[in-house]
């Protein structure tokens, strides 16, 4: 599920790389019984969430170790309330994403996964308002897709609101920093949605799925999809980099105290590398 918000690992110091891995394993560990599903679905986006909260609160975490049944070896991980919160929010978003997919596709595998996640998320939901807000926004997003709205702005803005929802009722963060964090989340959500839409263009055209870029730029079935992608790429690049400008402006206002090197790598290098990777349709970044 997405996974575009990640560092360029080759640009991290060894210490930072180990810390990033510990955050990743920490989120996975926090998922407890859903850990096996996490290995399939867990995205870097939730790790960024955990890093941001930890950094803003100025916390430095200590390594713990456990035996990983998936990696079949001992792994180092971090443990904290912020990491648990990131894991819980990840499960909540995944639950409603699968719910929407099942409604549209009637996919048996996704129905089974949803039944497992419903139980897990139900036990761990920390905020009923958050769940209702998320449900409403995903319904709104689903309606735009069902009505085939020919604009990237509307669905991207709603997805930005979805991401921002997770940052609106946080504790131990000043009101001023919370405003900045919510704005950062909105812009990041817009970027994720638009980048993912471009990433899926060829598949969506072949499978006749909703994709706002196909409608906004008036793709015709008689037109070769690769020629269409080449034609709209400059405009999409401009659109994505304008959003990244907003991301950077918001990020620069955050008062980060710890793990700043990892976060700087993600925002100043990783987001731009991922944008160019998707635009050029490469499988991996040049500097992975």
């Amino acid at each position: 599920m997405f996974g575009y918000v990640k560092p360029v690992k080759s640009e991290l110091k060894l210490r930072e790389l180990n810390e990033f891995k510990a955050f990743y394993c920490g989120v996975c560990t926090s998922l407890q019984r859903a850990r096996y599903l996490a290995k399939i679905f867990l995205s870097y986006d939730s790790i960024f969430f955990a890093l941001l909260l930890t950094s803003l609160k100025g916390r430095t975490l200590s390594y713990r170790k456990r035996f990983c049944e998936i990696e079949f070896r001992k792994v180092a991980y971090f443990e904290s309330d912020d990491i648990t919160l990131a894991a819980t929010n990840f499960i909540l978003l995944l639950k409603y994403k699968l719910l929407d997919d099942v409604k549209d596709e009637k996919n048996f595998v996704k129905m089974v996964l949803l039944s497992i996640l419903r139980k897990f998320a139900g036990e761990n939901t920390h905020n009923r308002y958050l769940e209702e807000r998320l449900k409403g926004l995903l319904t709104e997003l689903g309606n735009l897709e069902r009505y085939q709205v020919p604009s990237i702005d509307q669905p991207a803005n709603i997805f930005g609101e979805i991401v921002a929802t997770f940052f609106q009722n946080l504790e131990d963060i000043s009101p001023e920093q919370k405003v900045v964090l919510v704005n950062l989340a909105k812009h990041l959500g817009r970027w994720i949605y638009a980048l993912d839409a471009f990433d899926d263009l060829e598949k969506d055209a072949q499978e006749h799925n909703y994709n706002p870029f196909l409608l906004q730029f008036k793709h015709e079935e008689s037109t070769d999809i690769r020629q269409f992608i080449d034609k709209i790429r400059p405009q999409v690049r401009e659109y994505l980099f304008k959003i990244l400008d907003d991301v950077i402006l918001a990020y620069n206002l955050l008062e980060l105290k710890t793990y700043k090197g990892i976060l700087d790598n993600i925002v100043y290098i990783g987001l731009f590398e991922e944008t160019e990777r998707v635009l050029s349709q490469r499988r991996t970044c040049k500097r992975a």
Side-chain angles (χ1 to χ4, degrees):
M1 206 173 81
F2 305 118
Y4 300 114
V5 186
K6 58 186 178 183
V8 176
K9 293 180 182 178
S10 62
E11 296 293 323
L12 288 173
K13 297 175 182 177
L14 181 58
R15 171 183 54 79
E16 293 170 337
L17 180 60
N18 289 334
E19 289 169 343
F20 181 79
K21 289 177 179 177
F23 271 100
Y24 186 95
C25 290
V27 173
C28 186
T29 300
S30 294
L31 294 171
Q32 300 170 8
R33 291 195 304 280
R35 192 179 299 153
Y36 294 99
L37 292 178
K39 195 64 181 176
I40 301 171
F41 291 106
L42 185 59
S43 74
Y44 288 112
D45 310 325
S46 57
I47 316 305
F48 181 72
F49 179 92
L51 273 161
L52 264 183
L53 295 188
T54 305
S55 179
L56 284 168
K57 296 176 184 180
R59 293 171 179 166
T60 302
L61 306 179
S62 300
Y63 286 102
R64 294 172 176 264
K65 286 197 173 183
R66 69 170 177 86
F67 182 79
C68 177
E69 304 87 346
I70 299 167
E71 297 285 341
F72 210 68
R73 62 182 178 87
K74 278 194 172 183
V75 296
Y77 70 98
F78 288 148
E79 184 177 75
S80 72
D81 291 342
D82 297 321
I83 288 174
T84 300
L85 180 61
T88 303
N89 288 344
F90 163 73
I91 284 291
L92 190 59
L93 181 57
L94 178 58
K95 183 184 83 167
Y96 281 106
K97 179 67 171 67
L98 286 174
L99 184 64
D100 192 58
D101 289 348
V102 166
K103 193 187 304 179
D104 291 341
E105 302 170 16
K106 311 297 182 187
N107 183 297
F108 176 74
V109 174
K110 288 184 177 180
M111 288 174 69
V112 173
L113 293 174
L114 178 61
S115 67
I116 297 170
L117 287 173
R118 267 178 166 163
K119 186 174 187 300
F120 183 85
E123 294 172 356
N124 290 274
T125 298
H126 65 285
N127 189 325
R128 290 294 171 185
Y129 167 79
L130 171 62
E131 185 162 6
E132 289 303 313
R133 172 72 173 155
L134 181 61
K135 185 177 179 181
L137 286 168
L138 282 168
T139 298
E140 194 175 343
L141 182 61
N143 288 337
L144 290 180
E145 294 174 350
R146 276 184 278 278
Y147 293 135
Q148 301 283 295
V149 173
S151 166
I152 187 64
D153 286 332
Q154 287 179 263
N157 287 340
I158 291 176
F159 194 79
E161 292 291 339
I162 289 170
V163 176
T165 298
F166 293 113
F167 292 85
Q168 286 172 347
N169 295 309
L170 299 175
E171 299 176 353
D172 302 327
I173 294 176
S174 71
E176 295 79 13
Q177 285 291 284
K178 196 178 298 183
V179 169
V180 176
L181 199 54
V182 167
N183 280 323
L184 171 64
K186 285 180 181 178
H187 298 315
L188 202 55
R190 289 168 56 219
W191 174 81
I192 290 170
Y193 188 93
L195 190 69
D196 190 59
F198 187 86
D199 206 7
D200 287 345
L201 266 174
E202 189 167 350
K203 177 177 71 71
D204 288 340
Q206 291 170 352
E207 298 177 5
H208 303 286
N209 295 331
Y210 170 75
N211 189 304
F213 285 130
L214 291 174
L215 299 171
Q216 183 169 323
F217 293 104
K218 298 179 172 58
H219 174 256
E220 297 178 358
E221 289 192 25
S222 59
T223 304
D224 180 81
I225 185 60
R226 293 185 180 180
Q227 291 180 355
F228 175 79
I229 291 172
D230 289 340
K231 180 182 177 181
I232 71 170
R233 184 179 286 111
Q235 292 161 279
V236 175
R237 173 179 275 108
E238 182 180 0
Y239 182 81
L240 288 167
F241 276 97
K242 280 183 178 177
I243 298 176
L244 285 180
D245 285 343
D246 292 331
V247 170
I248 295 293
L249 286 171
Y251 178 77
N252 286 342
L253 294 174
L254 289 176
E255 297 170 0
L256 303 173
K257 302 177 180 72
T258 54
Y259 306 108
K260 191 174 184 299
I262 305 174
L263 288 165
D264 283 354
N265 178 297
I266 293 171
V267 174
Y268 296 136
I269 307 174
L271 299 184
F272 290 88
E273 286 276 341
E274 274 297 285
T275 302
E276 288 297 345
R277 180 190 68 78
V278 172
L279 286 169
S280 62
Q281 299 179 298
R282 296 195 308 269
R283 286 179 178 269
T284 58
C285 289
K286 289 181 178 179
R287 298 181 293 174

